[in-house]
Amino acid sequence: MANEQRNKIKLNVRVARAKKKEWKKALADGETMSSLVQRAVDREINNEYVPIEAVEQTDDTGSGEDVSQLSEKLDELHRDIAAANSKIDTLAAVGDTEDSDDTESIEELAMDILPRLPAYPRDIPEYALKDMGGRGEMSKQEYIEFIIDTLRSTDTGVAIDGSANHFAGQLREPEHKARQALLHLEQETTENVHSAIVDGTRHWMRF
């Protein structure tokens, strides 16, 4: 023990009082200032420190992958739900058609609804057309979903409603009959009427 003490060299280190207080706070249980300095110097010499940038990069990469995978799963789930809603709505529409009133009255109602249908680009706010440059590469179904959802979420006071319930209220007709008329326009005419489901409700639009 005496030999060990004689082999040690005393180093005097002058630091500011604030720095000394900071170092004291970092002391582990039973550790002295001397051992703290020695440990820090040893780590520096042996290159045992990990750069903060490397740690941050690792964390960012890992979390980024997790978020990306979660986003993909959510998108896939959204597509599955939309597909299921579309199938359910289509089956309901087929049922309505099978129980339809006479064809002539449905065709007449369809012609009454036609001029009331929201139309592209006539009924699209000018700012939306300019900002997006029109439909872009979206399909007609995708555009219906997009524009209705966008106008609902913006505080412009402008809304587009192409639902059977909307036209049934305007024309004082049963909703199922308005739906039959809209399906007739979409499937049996060349009026370029298309539909899409938005939040569980089918909306029609004329292009």
Side-chain angles (χ1 to χ4, degrees):
M1 183 69 176
N3 290 334
E4 185 179 348
Q5 291 292 337
R6 283 196 296 269
N7 290 334
K8 288 185 177 181
I9 299 175
K10 186 176 181 180
L11 296 176
N12 292 321
V13 180
R14 298 177 64 87
V15 295
R17 289 185 178 180
K19 179 61 66 176
K20 187 175 181 180
K21 289 182 179 179
E22 182 181 341
W23 287 6
K24 282 185 176 181
K25 290 181 181 179
L27 292 177
D29 292 340
E31 189 175 29
T32 64
M33 290 290 290
S34 296
S35 61
L36 173 65
V37 173
Q38 183 177 340
R39 177 160 54 88
V41 172
D42 287 342
R43 286 184 174 177
E44 181 67 30
I45 293 173
N46 296 325
N47 197 26
E48 294 178 2
Y49 290 107
V50 178
I52 294 177
E53 293 80 1
V55 176
E56 291 177 345
Q57 184 176 4
T58 301
D59 290 344
D60 291 344
T61 302
S63 61
E65 290 178 354
D66 292 342
V67 171
S68 177
Q69 291 175 357
L70 179 60
S71 179
E72 289 178 3
K73 290 181 179 179
L74 288 174
D75 289 342
E76 184 179 352
L77 179 60
H78 181 269
R79 288 192 295 269
D80 290 343
I81 293 173
N85 282 338
S86 180
K87 288 180 180 179
I88 292 171
D89 188 79
T90 300
L91 290 172
V94 171
D96 286 344
T97 304
E98 290 176 350
D99 298 332
S100 63
D101 299 327
D102 63 281
T103 304
E104 185 176 350
S105 65
I106 293 300
E107 290 177 351
E108 290 176 357
L109 179 57
M111 291 302 103
D112 288 338
I113 291 177
L114 184 61
R116 300 170 183 266
L117 276 173
Y120 174 88
R122 182 192 68 196
D123 297 319
I124 308 301
E126 186 176 355
Y127 77 89
L129 290 173
K130 286 184 177 179
D131 291 347
M132 293 184 54
R135 275 174 46 207
E137 297 181 357
M138 286 186 284
S139 68
K140 292 171 182 176
Q141 180 179 351
E142 289 172 338
Y143 188 77
I144 294 172
E145 294 173 356
F146 169 80
I147 195 63
I148 290 178
D149 188 58
T150 298
L151 293 179
R152 282 179 179 175
S153 60
T154 55
D155 188 19
T156 60
V158 179
I160 290 179
D161 191 339
S163 66
N165 181 66
H166 175 70
F167 298 115
Q170 283 190 340
L171 298 172
R172 297 182 180 180
E173 293 282 357
E175 184 175 345
H176 77 277
K177 192 172 180 179
R179 177 190 291 269
Q180 292 167 24
L182 288 162
L183 287 170
H184 174 78
L185 288 171
E186 181 178 8
Q187 300 173 1
E188 306 296 335
T189 72
T190 58
E191 297 294 346
N192 206 13
V193 174
H194 296 265
S195 68
I197 295 176
V198 183
D199 293 335
T201 300
R202 187 176 290 276
H203 291 262
W204 282 263
M205 183 178 289
R206 191 178 187 184
F207 289 83

